[in-house]
Every structure is written in C-alpha cells, then in structure tokens.
Amino acid sequence: MYIIQNSGWIEAIAGPMYCGKSEELIRRVRRAQIAKQKVQVFKPTIDDRFHSNTVASHDGSKVEAIPVDDPREMLNRVDRDTDVVAIDELQFFDQAVVGVCEELADRGHRVIVAGLDRDFRGELFGPVPEILARAEYVHKLHAICVRCGSLGTRTQRLIEGIPAAYTDPVIMVGAQEVYEARCRNCHEVRGRKRD
Ligand code: ADP
Ligand code: ZN
C-alpha cells in the first residue's frame, strides 16, 4: 500500500452489522495510541448501543469516544496537534459529515471512518456511499450469514422474529428489534419491490 506523507487522508471501513467495523476501527486507534500519536474518537449521540462515552464492538473491546450531535462540532473539537480522528457509526450523521471529513483531511489529519454501507432494507445508508467514493482507502468487511454461512453482506432486521417491512423507519433506536448478518440470498425484507 502506498503510504501518504505530508498530508491528511480519509480511510473508510464499511459493511453490514457484525462484520467487524468497530473492531477494526478500535484496532487502528490502539495501534496509533501505542505509537504515541494523538487520537480523538467521535460517534453520533444516536448510537447508544453499549455506553454513551465509548465505541464498543460486539466482541467486547472498546475505546473512549466523544458523542456529538451535529457533525460540524468535530471541526471545533479536533485539536490542531491531533494525528488521528476516528469516527464510528458514520451512517447516523447527516450528509454534512462528508464535508467535515474532507475538511479534517485537508487540515492534515488521518481520518478513519466506519459505518454501515446499507440499511436493513439493503438500500444505501446516509453519507457512507459518498465517503466510500471520496476516501483514499476503502476497506469492505463481511460477516458470516447466520442462515447458510455464505458472505454476510446484509443486515437482517427482525421484529418479534419476523423480517421487517420495507416501509419501516430506517432508524429504530430503542425498539425491540433484533439484527443478524445474512447474505444476499438469505436477506429478507417484507414488501420489497424486487422480491
Ligand atoms: P460491527 O461494528 O461491524 O457491527 P463489531 O466489530 O461490533 O462489528 O463486531 C464484530 C464481532 O461480531 C465479530 O468479531 C464476532 O465476534 C461477532 N459476530 C456476531 N455475529 C457474527 C456473524 N454473523 N459473523 C461474524 N461475526 C459475528
Ligand atoms: Zn445466507
């Protein structure tokens, strides 16, 4: 991999739930911290999965993170001497986060972002597709389909064991829904046109 020097850049990690995005973001953050680089980690306030002041992965590893509402807050909160800016759950920010990431990279920071590329319906999720196009480095991760063991590229939403409907809201924080990783073939959405 060509190593960029003397400028910032954006590196993106994307995939469905359980593919290891947070794990990978935490791994990159830890390595930078071990190398005594200054790291600042952010997450949208909407993501209350485990604890409001941490980024946590499903296998239990975590790092401290600053929750922010508006992505533009990060422009003020990132210190000049920060080497690495890491942002998890990018899909929950509005489109303004794209410009914020570009601005941070322009200022010379290494910007690591992680997010869902598709929502539970299989549609593209918020600002993530554009970040994937703009990033210098893109890493797509896959989970394992819990039905058939194939490539887990989709996030299955189940409400009381039944596949969610296409018309359900994309963000249902706090609802009694369950998510699992599935492949293209096993992914089910009630009322999806192409089914
Ligand atoms: P993400 O941030 O992409 O949701 P995490 O980093 O939080 O993913 O969690 C990844 C971990 O989830 C894996 O290391 C594994 O322990 C666990 N996991 C649970 N279900 C699956 C699955 N179907 N395929 C792969 N890993 C899974
Ligand atoms: Zn499958």
Side-chain angles (χ1 to χ4, degrees):
M1 196 154 86
Y2 177 71
I3 306 296
I4 301 170
Q5 286 174 325
N6 305 323
S7 86
W9 67 87
I10 300 170
E11 49 193 68
I13 305 160
M17 275 180 76
Y18 304 109
C19 74
K21 298 182 298 298
S22 299
E23 235 168 52
E24 178 60 20
L25 181 122
I26 292 166
R27 188 182 76 89
R28 295 184 192 187
V29 164
R30 290 236 173 93
R31 284 164 54 99
Q33 287 170 335
I34 289 164
K36 304 261 185 301
Q37 294 188 331
K38 181 165 173 178
V39 183
Q40 286 183 271
V41 185
F42 296 94
K43 57 182 254 178
T45 45
I46 192 167
D47 173 47
D48 247 349
R49 188 158 70 179
F50 294 106
H51 191 281
S52 58
N53 292 323
T54 57
V55 160
S57 76
H58 287 100
D59 79 338
S61 54
K62 49 179 114 167
V63 289
E64 270 186 46
I66 304 165
V68 291
D69 270 324
D70 185 328
R72 283 164 283 241
E73 283 176 46
M74 292 187 279
L75 293 175
N76 298 327
R77 284 180 168 250
V78 171
D79 302 324
R80 284 181 86 122
D81 62 344
T82 288
D83 300 291
V84 179
V85 179
I87 311 169
D88 199 19
E89 304 287 5
L90 195 84
Q91 74 279 354
F92 290 139
F93 282 116
D94 66 34
Q95 206 64 23
V97 78
V98 174
V100 169
C101 291
E102 290 275 23
E103 168 71 23
L104 292 171
D106 286 347
R107 288 185 195 173
H109 304 289
R110 172 187 175 195
V111 182
I112 307 172
V113 300
L116 292 165
D117 48 4
R118 295 169 183 263
D119 62 26
F120 79 94
R121 303 168 305 170
E123 304 295 353
L124 303 184
F125 209 147
V128 174
E130 190 173 344
I131 279 287
L132 293 181
R134 288 174 180 268
E136 276 83 352
Y137 301 111
V138 172
H139 212 106
K140 276 251 192 174
L141 299 176
H142 310 110
I144 296 168
C145 174
V146 297
R147 278 277 177 91
C148 75
S150 179
L151 203 65
T153 55
R154 308 296 155 104
T155 302
Q156 177 69 49
R157 183 195 280 170
L158 299 167
I159 315 267
E160 292 174 359
I162 298 161
Y166 190 87
T167 49
D168 285 354
V170 170
I171 300 172
M172 284 178 82
V173 173
Q176 291 304 303
E177 80 273 26
V178 169
Y179 292 95
E180 58 187 37
R182 293 204 190 171
C183 70
R184 187 182 277 276
N185 288 338
C186 297
H187 184 238
E188 295 171 273
V189 185
R190 282 190 298 120
R192 181 168 53 187
K193 284 201 186 70
R194 59 192 168 81
D195 279 347

